[in-house]
């Protein structure tokens, strides 16, 4: 959650000689209005260009009276499968339910162990807990924030049945090594790609490399719906059929239940809206990547001075920057400073999952997973959304640089 903006008095003349701005130049000459708000996320510039298409899509569903299942969902599933380069896509009610249904479909439950990174959104762990399996937390790589495959190797035991690598912030985990380890031990792999639809790993799409790939269409995601939604992708026909049944209370045909599933269905209204948005996704990815590149260029000298660390796009990968996350020891001070200047930020995530109260019984303590714990003290996400304009971006850049002069 980004902090609320607090209005402050006009800061007066601002200088930034490193960016060619001379001393005593009026603030308005810096290329932005000092009073302009820069939210952490603004959906207006995303929705306005496709407003009529979105309205038409919703009206089309209303006129059809096909609100559950139907042609909109069928078409969206085909389009997502094609985009991801897989045979099957199953629309579900949320990214959380995508994870839950995948675990259920793979038969994971009581007595089993599932290894996940501790530095991720709660749904990754909550879904494992809900099927009755034991969560085993793994530390992360400090550069990508993704699961560290070498530590993964040391956590596998006889009870281990699955691994859930998370492609955090829009960049894929080290899937070659993770898949190699999991194949050696006969483990299922569920990719949590909630933040990474469209990210690539050596030419392969996020979500397409494991047994199942899970996406979220929460409105803040790169492909966001107009409410909750999610999807699961797979190359496995039998698994896909199982998932289609589980999302509908375990019924492959009405009133005949082979399994106990749940109500994990994606509404037709969401499918229709997402169909309008999917063709825009590559353009939005490039907007995010452009914003990220310009931030990196503007802050490169700060990184060289050891003042902060910038996100890295590793070779062979395409980062889609669901978040642009920097690291610095003075994280809270920078967040307060940007907040005071009407710039939204967010901390993903302030407390690793192994230290959450609800998982106390698992026996982890502070210091158990030190890389994740340090990341939780240092990470800060800056606005990077499509439609972030040059004036807003310049203000973010200027204010970050000014912070390090204070």
């Amino acid at each position: 959650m980004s902090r609320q903006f607090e209005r402050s008095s006009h800061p007066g003349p601002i200088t930034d000689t490193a960016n060619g701005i001379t001393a005593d130049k009026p603030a308005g000459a810096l290329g932005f209005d000092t009073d302009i708000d820069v939210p952490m996320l603004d959906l207006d510039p995303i929705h306005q260009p496709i407003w009529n298409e979105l309205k038409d899509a919703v009206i089309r569903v209303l006129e059809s009276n096909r609100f559950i299942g139907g042609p909109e969902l069928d078409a969206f599933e085909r389009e997502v499968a094609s985009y991801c380069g897989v045979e099957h896509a199953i629309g579900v009610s949320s990214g959380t339910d995508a994870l839950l249904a995948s675990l259920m479909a793979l038969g994971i439950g009581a007595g089993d162990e599932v290894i996940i990174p501790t530095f991720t959104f709660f749904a990754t762990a909550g879904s494992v807990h809900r099927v009755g399996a034991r969560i085993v937390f793994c530390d992360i790589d400090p550069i990508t924030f993704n699961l560290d495959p070498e530590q993964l190797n040391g956590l596998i035991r006889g009870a281990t049945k699955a691994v859930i690598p998370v492609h955090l912030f829009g960049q894929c985990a080290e899937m070659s090594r993770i898949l190699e380890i999991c194949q050696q031990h006969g483990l299922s792999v569920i990719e949590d790609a909630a933040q990474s639809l469209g990210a690539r790993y050596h030419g392969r799409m996020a979500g397409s490399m494991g047994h199942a790939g899970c996406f979220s269409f929460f409105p803040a995601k790169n492909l966001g719906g107009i409410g909750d939604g999610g999807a699961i992708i797979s190359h496995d026909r039998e698994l896909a059929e199982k998932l289609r049944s589980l999302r509908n209370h375990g019924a492959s045909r009405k009133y005949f239940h082979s399994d106990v599933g749940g109500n994990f269905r994606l509404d037709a209204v969401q499918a229709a809206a997402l169909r309008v948005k999917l063709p825009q996704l590559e353009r939005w990815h490039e907007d995010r990547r452009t914003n990220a590149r310009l931030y990196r260029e503007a802050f490169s000298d700060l990184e060289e001075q050891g003042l902060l660390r910038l996100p890295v796009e590793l070779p062979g990968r395409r980062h889609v920057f669901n978040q642009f996350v920097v690291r610095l020891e003075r994280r809270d001070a920078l967040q307060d400073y940007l907040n005071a200047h009407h710039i939204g930020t967010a901390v993903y995530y302030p407390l690793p999952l192994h230290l959450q109260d609800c998982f106390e019984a698992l026996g982890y303590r502070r210091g158990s997973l030190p890389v994740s714990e340090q990341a939780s003290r240092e990470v800060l996400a800056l606005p990077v959304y499509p439609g972030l304009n040059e004036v807003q971006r310049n203000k973010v850049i200027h204010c970050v640089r000014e912070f390090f002069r204070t």
Side-chain angles (χ1 to χ4, degrees), residues 180-196:
E180 178 186 22
I181 293 168
C182 291
Q183 288 166 2
Q184 289 172 355
H185 295 274
L187 306 180
S188 297
V189 178
I190 301 171
E191 294 176 68
D192 184 340
Q195 300 180 9
S196 298

Side-chain angles (χ1 to χ4, degrees), residues 207-243:
S208 70
M209 294 169 274
H211 294 86
C214 300
F215 299 110
S216 169
F217 303 130
F218 184 77
K221 297 296 191 289
N222 288 28
L223 181 65
I226 54 176
D228 266 321
I232 309 162
I233 61 172
S234 181
H235 295 283
D236 187 324
R237 179 181 60 80
E238 291 185 8
L239 182 61
E241 290 177 357
K242 183 83 165 179
L243 287 162

